[in-house]
Amino acid sequence: DMGGHDTYMHKEISEQPDAVDRVLRGRIDDRFSTVHLGGLNLDPREARGIRRVKILGCGTSYHAGLIGAGLIEGMARIPADAEPASEFRYRNPVVDPDTLYIAVSQSGETYDVLAAVQELKRKGARVLGVVNVVGSAIAREADGGVYVHAGPEVCVVSTKCFTNTVVAFALLAVHLGRIRDLSVTDGKRIIEGLRKLPAQIQEILEGEEDIKKLAAEYAEAKSMMFIGRVRGYPVALEASLKLKEISYIHAEAYPASELKHGPLALIEPSLPTVAIVPDDDLLEKNRAALEEIKARSGRILAVAHREQEKADHTIVVPKNEDELDPILMGIPLQLLAYHTALAMGRDIDKPRNLAKSVTVE
Ligand code: F6R
């Protein structure tokens, strides 16, 4: 049942305010400005003993994991990174007992992720799951974890589950942070930011008509560049993946800082760039990247917290705490991919060559 929407993708994009509400529900503890996660199976002493965090997933879940790694490293001050689960499996990784491994999956059935979890457990590692489907293989195999509570996702490409997964990581980051060195003040600041998300997502969704107009323009492109810096880079990666999956337009994502090391050679009027430009400590650096692109006559669509004068168009999104901005900045780009694909007449819910859960190697 599409509930009045033309596609599941549109339905699932629209459900995000409620979905985010669900992942937060019952988990915030205002008394200690922290977060309770019932299924984690990690006591405070164990949480303090973690020396590294390694996040594993595929596709969109890997991108959510990249943002999650930034959140955990930033708030809990534990070195954290994310890696595609299949790459991890095949490089015979060093498995370290002081590392917390986190497997991320919407379906909970992705074979490469499951196989990585099994290999880790066989070597004695502690593995948590950040999973959407309750009782799925990865959820059962993990030592504990956080359910994402996005609700059923039918469209082959992931939207609401991506957003909820990142919110789940923010919850985990506050939880680990408050056991370690995140102050009460910062815990409270992030919690207040999390509570603002559903209404802010709703506000972004109300701008859909404007994004649809932009999509009609960008649907003519043969190729698109997506750039972001630090927190913005995984947002660029995910937006680029979404566009290519459903529109079949070639898209690349680069860290903004890498432009001058190669991809700037591609910039010309027929290759538009989507730039993630949050109002944070990196704003000036990001603006400099826009100037570099403009100097080569590149067209720019910025996603920002205020109009960017170097950009041809700006999608303005509401500001949250710097740490949580990536969650909001991804949402208009789901709509951009959606309306671009729609304008091109694509089969949005079932893109060619793809399956919802990849249970083979
Ligand atoms: C992207 C997409 C895929 C999945 C990937 C992992 O829109 O749908 O990239 O994200 O196959 O799937 P899960 O999260 O079920 O492990």
Side-chain angles (χ1 to χ4, degrees):
D1 174 29
M2 292 194 212
H5 296 269
D6 293 334
T7 59
Y8 280 108
M9 184 176 181
H10 194 270
K11 173 176 184 264
E12 288 159 7
I13 290 173
S14 307
E15 283 169 350
Q16 290 176 110
D18 288 339
V20 169
D21 214 51
R22 267 198 309 275
V23 65
L24 297 176
R25 201 172 302 154
R27 287 170 160 173
I28 291 172
D29 172 357
D30 286 305
R31 197 171 94 139
F32 291 106
S33 298
T34 189
V35 165
H36 286 306
L37 297 165
L40 220 49
N41 293 331
L42 190 73
D43 68 37
R45 197 176 296 248
E46 289 166 331
R48 292 214 59 117
I50 300 166
R51 302 280 291 269
R52 298 193 78 84
V53 173
K54 175 63 127 185
I55 301 171
L56 303 166
C58 298
T60 289
S61 290
Y62 160 60
H63 296 157
L66 285 170
I67 302 180
L71 288 166
I72 290 172
E73 187 159 311
M75 291 189 221
R77 303 307 294 158
I78 308 170
D81 70 345
E83 185 177 341
S86 54
E87 287 287 285
F88 178 81
R89 276 181 69 203
Y90 288 115
R91 70 175 173 76
N92 188 25
V94 176
V95 173
D96 161 29
D98 298 330
T99 297
L100 175 66
Y101 294 88
I102 306 179
V104 191
S105 179
Q106 188 287 127
S107 60
E109 305 289 343
T110 300
Y111 185 78
D112 279 323
V113 183
L114 180 61
V117 171
Q118 289 168 338
E119 175 75 354
L120 281 166
K121 293 215 55 192
R122 195 184 60 76
K123 290 182 172 170
R126 180 191 290 274
V127 188
L128 298 182
V130 174
V131 170
N132 191 40
V133 176
V134 176
S136 55
I138 294 165
R140 279 183 278 122
E141 205 58 57
D143 297 302
V146 187
Y147 277 121
V148 162
H149 296 312
E153 196 176 59
V154 177
C155 178
V156 164
V157 303
S158 181
T159 51
K160 64 173 180 174
C161 190
F162 171 78
T163 300
N164 266 38
T165 300
V166 178
V167 175
F169 271 115
L171 292 170
L172 180 59
V174 172
H175 174 83
L176 293 175
R178 290 286 297 120
I179 291 172
R180 299 168 72 116
D181 294 326
L182 188 72
S183 68
V184 177
T185 315
D186 278 329
K188 208 177 204 152
R189 179 176 65 77
I190 300 296
I191 285 169
E192 278 162 15
L194 288 167
R195 285 199 170 112
K196 285 188 201 149
L197 287 173
Q200 289 182 318
I201 295 172
Q202 192 56 46
E203 195 182 324
I204 295 170
L205 297 178
E206 280 157 19
E208 182 171 359
E209 277 310 307
D210 294 330
I211 297 171
K212 187 174 172 178
K213 284 182 203 135
L214 287 171
E217 246 177 80
Y218 289 90
E220 283 155 31
K222 289 233 166 6
S223 179
M224 274 172 90
M225 179 74 78
F226 289 78
I227 59 166
R229 196 182 294 264
V230 190
R231 289 186 194 106
Y233 175 51
V235 177
L237 279 170
E238 174 56 12
S240 152
L241 176 64
K242 217 90 298 176
L243 182 77
K244 74 185 92 165
E245 285 182 299
I246 58 170
S247 74
Y248 318 144
I249 293 176
H250 168 250
E252 294 206 43
Y254 266 95
S257 52
E258 279 287 299
L259 269 183
K260 55 181 169 299
H261 301 293
L264 211 47
L266 294 173
I267 300 295
E268 43 132 1
S270 70
L271 181 88
T273 299
V274 174
I276 312 300
V277 190
D279 247 12
D280 59 17
D281 52 335
L282 297 172
L283 179 62
E284 290 317 313
K285 290 274 171 212
N286 283 320
R287 282 194 168 144
L290 301 189
E291 266 171 53
E292 284 171 11
I293 295 165
K294 218 58 238 170
R296 277 102 188 154
S297 310
R299 279 158 70 212
I300 301 170
L301 170 58
V303 178
H305 295 118
R306 53 182 133 141
E307 286 297 325
Q308 294 303 311
E309 64 181 53
K310 290 287 168 200
D312 298 272
H313 302 95
T314 307
I315 300 174
V316 177
V317 299
K319 180 84 183 84
N320 197 301
E321 298 304 324
D322 292 352
E323 294 90 332
L324 303 179
D325 283 333
I327 299 168
L328 294 168
M329 301 196 109
I331 289 175
L333 297 175
Q334 298 172 344
L335 286 170
L336 184 77
Y338 178 79
H339 283 290
T340 305
L342 196 67
M344 297 172 82
R346 304 303 194 205
D347 184 358
I348 289 176
D349 284 336
K350 286 196 168 48
R352 67 187 184 200
N353 311 338
L354 300 178
K356 182 67 181 163
S357 55
V358 185
T359 51
V360 291
E361 250 179 284

